[in-house]
Amino acid sequence: MLNSLDLEGRPQDTRVVVAMSGGVDSSATAALLKSEGYDVVGITLQLYDHGAATHRKGACCAGQDIHDARNVAERIGIPHYVLDYESRFRESVIDNFADSYASGETPVPCIECNRSVKFRDLLATARELGASALATGHYVASRRMSDGSRALICAADADRDQSYFLFATTREQLDYLRFPLGDMTKQQARDLARRFGLTVADKQDSQDICFVPTGRYTDIIGRLRPNAIEPGDIVDLDGRAIGRHQGIVHFTVGQRRGLGIASSAPLYVVRLDAASRRVVVGPREALRMDRIMLRDVNWIGDGAVDRAVSDGLEIFVRVRSTRAPQPAWLRAADGGYEVELVAGEEGVSPGQACVFYDAPSGQARVLGGGFIQSATAKSATARAAVKALPLVEAMRG
């Protein structure tokens, strides 16, 4: 007989580790599972030197958050442990974040944290504790398929869906992970927290990158990778210098504000060239890309990825966490994989994730995804047409 977590056995005979960040979502998850009779163990990860972030609103995993998680665990009557993961977090997430920015990318550190520190290291710890599952407060769902495997599904609350940040979850990890809030709204989670008398019921959601307590990520990059803060040229699409900048880490593809260039026509960051320290700018038309080359592709759809894409697979892709999924084709190319966007997309930035879905909306299934390595316009003709736009004349006003 399966219990509410789709596991064999009675809840009281089933140990579940809950990753407790100190926020309302993970706290409600722990309280809900405890109320259902599960043998719940709460674990909070100390991921970085949290002293500077203790009193900063919107920062996660900070000193106050550890304190809140401990209080919730005491309130609902479960054992709670704080594990020092600072060194592995620094190596897997912070160093990777700095390297990515220094190479001209725009990384998503939450993805790396989920796939390595949480779903690799913490998951292993949960197994060592004899747990049958690791539960988190992520807004995403999983479903058992006919073959017994589990599929990753978008959350019922589209405004809270976190599937973009979990695309790198493997099939083996999915078998062990559980997401009790996947079919709830944020308001329902807060109502749960109130029902269980948790003081975090109205706690503000974390917003910043957790290891950037000042909100200025360039401070960390400057300390870890000083070469990424070196000045360089801002150039147009023809390579002509039209300004100077104080480091490519201050820019991201699609950026319009803060370029420091006087122009009668709007200019956008089209590309970052780390090797030459150049920021390439152009009109909005130059942002539209049609093909995306991917690296580190993770496939959690049916069967093997090569068989699935043998003749091209029609999918829907999200190229930024805030974008809606767009129709596309996934194909094998040059020993890797590429995505062809049916209608094109603006501001496709290397380092961001390109996540695959089987539907454009609703509780779609996540088929996997990869990190954007590069993006191009569909044809040389299209690129030439963009390049020929009267940018210099527009700047002269």
Side-chain angles (χ1 to χ4, degrees):
M1 179 178 177
L2 298 178
N3 55 41
S4 63
L5 291 179
D6 206 20
L7 296 167
E8 292 283 351
R10 301 180 306 166
Q12 55 265 43
D13 299 324
T14 306
R15 174 167 291 179
V16 181
V17 165
V18 177
M20 300 181 68
S21 67
V24 61
D25 300 324
S26 59
S27 297
T29 297
L32 175 64
L33 294 179
K34 174 64 176 178
S35 73
E36 293 179 353
Y38 289 96
D39 176 13
V40 178
V41 177
I43 292 183
T44 300
L45 303 181
Q46 181 172 312
L47 300 178
Y48 61 96
D49 182 2
H50 55 265
T54 300
H55 302 295
R56 177 176 171 78
K57 292 183 178 180
C60 74
C61 311
Q64 182 62 46
D65 296 316
I66 293 175
H67 176 74
D68 289 342
R70 184 178 290 117
N71 282 348
V72 167
E74 183 177 354
R75 168 74 181 179
I76 64 178
I78 64 170
H80 176 255
Y81 304 96
V82 178
L83 303 183
D84 183 356
Y85 274 29
E86 283 193 32
S87 61
R88 62 187 79 191
F89 183 74
R90 182 174 59 252
E91 294 169 4
S92 297
V93 180
I94 298 179
D95 286 347
N96 179 278
F97 175 82
D99 287 337
S100 185
Y101 257 113
S103 65
E105 296 183 340
T106 304
V108 189
C110 291
I111 294 176
E112 188 58 42
C113 182
N114 285 326
R115 78 168 179 172
S116 58
V117 175
K118 292 179 182 176
F119 293 171
R120 183 191 65 200
D121 299 340
L122 178 56
L123 190 149
T125 298
R127 289 188 186 279
E128 292 172 0
L129 290 173
S132 299
L134 170 64
T136 78
H138 286 106
Y139 284 90
V140 70
S142 71
R143 301 277 188 275
R144 180 187 290 269
M145 306 299 286
S146 59
D147 63 357
S149 65
R150 302 193 71 82
L152 189 64
I153 307 295
C154 290
D157 188 344
D159 292 334
R160 294 289 175 175
D161 176 59
Q162 294 173 293
S163 61
Y164 180 87
F165 302 100
L166 300 178
F167 85 87
T169 307
T170 67
R171 287 170 174 161
E172 182 182 8
Q173 291 167 347
L174 273 179
D175 285 341
Y176 193 70
L177 291 165
R178 293 296 184 271
F179 310 103
L181 303 187
D183 293 319
M184 297 186 193
T185 64
K186 181 72 175 192
Q187 187 56 52
Q188 287 174 320
R190 290 195 184 280
D191 290 343
L192 264 182
R194 292 190 189 96
R195 192 179 97 198
F196 294 122
L198 307 184
T199 58
V200 297
D202 296 307
K203 186 174 179 178
Q204 178 181 347
D205 291 336
S206 59
Q207 298 170 344
D208 295 329
I209 298 172
C210 68
F211 57 89
V212 188
T214 64
R216 296 191 300 273
Y217 64 89
T218 52
D219 291 349
I220 287 181
I221 299 169
R223 186 175 71 251
L224 298 177
R225 305 292 184 270
N227 62 307
I229 309 296
E230 294 178 357
D233 289 329
I234 299 176
V235 303
D236 64 14
L237 295 175
D238 291 314
R240 292 187 289 260
I242 56 177
R244 294 283 290 175
H245 66 80
Q246 298 304 310
I248 62 172
V249 299
H250 296 287
F251 302 89
T252 185
V253 172
Q255 180 178 332
R256 176 183 174 186
R257 299 181 183 280
L259 302 184
I261 301 174
S263 171
S264 61
L267 296 177
Y268 299 81
V269 175
V270 176
R271 187 172 65 256
L272 299 174
D273 188 340
S276 63
R277 301 197 301 276
R278 298 197 309 175
V279 174
V280 182
V281 299
R284 183 169 181 172
E285 291 86 348
L287 290 174
R288 183 160 292 276
M289 298 292 156
D290 301 279
R291 281 194 172 88
I292 301 172
M293 289 301 301
L294 302 175
R295 60 174 172 81
D296 300 331
V297 169
N298 180 57
W299 178 255
I300 50 176
D302 294 330
V305 61
D306 288 335
R307 176 172 294 183
V309 305
S310 58
D311 297 318
L313 178 67
E314 188 174 2
I315 58 175
F316 298 86
V317 301
R318 177 178 279 154
V319 298
R320 294 223 180 193
S321 62
T322 55
R323 303 275 179 88
Q326 300 293 327
W329 289 91
L330 176 64
R331 297 188 175 93
D334 300 325
Y337 301 94
E338 73 170 17
V339 164
E340 180 182 351
L341 298 161
V342 173
E345 185 76 273
E346 293 183 355
V348 180
S349 178
Q352 294 282 298
C354 178
V355 181
F356 315 149
Y357 300 87
D358 70 351
S361 60
Q363 289 195 275
R365 180 181 178 182
V366 181
L367 302 176
F371 291 100
I372 298 171
Q373 181 170 298
S374 61
T376 60
K378 184 175 293 185
S379 67
T381 302
R383 288 193 295 272
V386 168
K387 202 172 183 180
L389 290 171
L391 175 59
V392 175
E393 286 75 5
M395 290 181 59
R396 289 173 181 165

